[in-house]
Amino acid sequence: MSATRRAFLGTSLGLTAGLVTGAPAWPASSTGHPCRRIPRGGIGMHLYTMRTALAQDFPGTLERLATIGYATVGVSGRHGHSAAAIRRVLDDVRLKAVLEHVSYDVLRGPGLGQALADLHTLGATWPVVPSLPGALHSPAGFREAAREFNRIGRASREAGLGPVLFHNHGSDHTVVDGVSLYDILVTETDPHLVGFELDVYWAVKGGADPGSCFTRHPGRFPALHVKDMAANGDFADVGSGTLDFAAMFDHARRGGVRQWLVEHDSPTDPFATARDSYRYLAALRY
């Protein structure tokens, strides 16, 4: 039986038992030692998930996330608000921004200084490149990006922030002439200057194993996008799909993970996604 199928069946049985007995339905741990849990301060929401709600009611949406239990957010789009205005709302509802997605072109160009200043204003730690231009999707292009990441990461460190992070999509794990594009970024960047916000859904979609990433490249993954995969390969609320989170998180400490940020690219009801995903992660033992 596959690891993903085993996790899905274990979770389903656990939920059924909870409904029958009224006991907490803790997701099963594939390690057999369900003792560790994600720190409450490490469960966050990547705000791309909530973009429709934020566009309608920015402060109200953040307040509802805090009420659900989230401690942190990853900023992705400001919806017409300044960094200072967003910080005021976050402080009011007792949420903390830990990172912001900023385009590659901004960070490699004259906008870098302002982007780093805005991170300070937000109270965040990491600038994140959400994707690379399609023209760079080749070994030569990724080597060029690696050089730029080292330069950006040095500026970020000198500004008193953390390393620049890269957020992956499935195509970033393409193997060309026997070399993984993603591995080029990992191996040709300075670990002090460059880290990775691993999107576990896209890693699996691209043929990579998140747990193996953590063990092969320890300390390089301070943040995750925790996104589940439906049986048909679509996006799913965390805990409702096929990914074995307990197995992959078994290696999270070695990977340096500090933030588990929920994401769903196209939620039907973003607040239901936020609520159900938080409950799953808060209950998860691994």
Side-chain angles (χ1 to χ4, degrees), residues 19 23 199 202:
L19 289 172
D199 186 308
W202 285 119

Side-chain angles (χ1 to χ4, degrees), residues 259-276:
Q259 285 292 312
W260 288 254
L261 300 174
V262 168
E263 189 183 36
H264 191 309
D265 288 27
S266 52
T268 302
D269 180 343
F271 289 107
T273 290
R275 181 190 65 245
D276 295 344

Side-chain angles (χ1 to χ4, degrees), residues 103-255:
S103 77
Y104 178 70
D105 287 340
V106 168
L107 290 177
R108 69 187 292 270
L112 173 61
Q114 185 60 56
L116 299 179
D118 285 349
L119 278 162
H120 274 296
T121 300
L122 288 168
T125 301
W126 301 292
V128 182
V129 174
S131 63
L132 288 174
L136 292 180
H137 274 72
S138 67
F142 268 57
R143 290 191 171 95
E144 176 186 333
R147 292 190 292 272
E148 290 290 338
F149 281 147
N150 281 328
R151 183 183 64 83
I152 295 164
R154 183 172 295 106
S156 182
R157 284 298 204 178
E158 290 174 352
L161 298 166
V164 63
L165 308 184
F166 175 66
H167 169 271
N168 59 299
H169 291 88
S171 60
D172 298 318
H173 299 277
T174 300
V175 176
V176 180
D177 296 330
V179 178
S180 163
L181 297 179
Y182 192 78
D183 283 352
I184 290 173
L185 290 183
V186 178
T187 59
E188 298 192 14
T189 53
D190 184 332
H192 179 68
L193 305 178
V194 181
F196 297 86
E197 180 187 48
L198 187 69
D199 186 308
V200 299
Y201 170 96
W202 285 119
V204 172
K205 194 86 164 178
D209 172 32
S212 176
C213 290
F214 300 150
T215 56
R216 287 169 52 222
H217 307 292
R220 300 299 301 274
F221 303 93
L224 303 180
H225 273 187
V226 185
K227 182 189 305 176
D228 212 339
M229 183 183 294
N232 65 359
D234 288 345
F235 306 116
D237 291 349
V238 177
S240 69
T242 63
L243 296 190
D244 188 345
F245 293 112
M248 68 175 72
F249 295 166
D250 188 41
H251 306 287
R253 175 177 289 186
R254 182 166 175 80

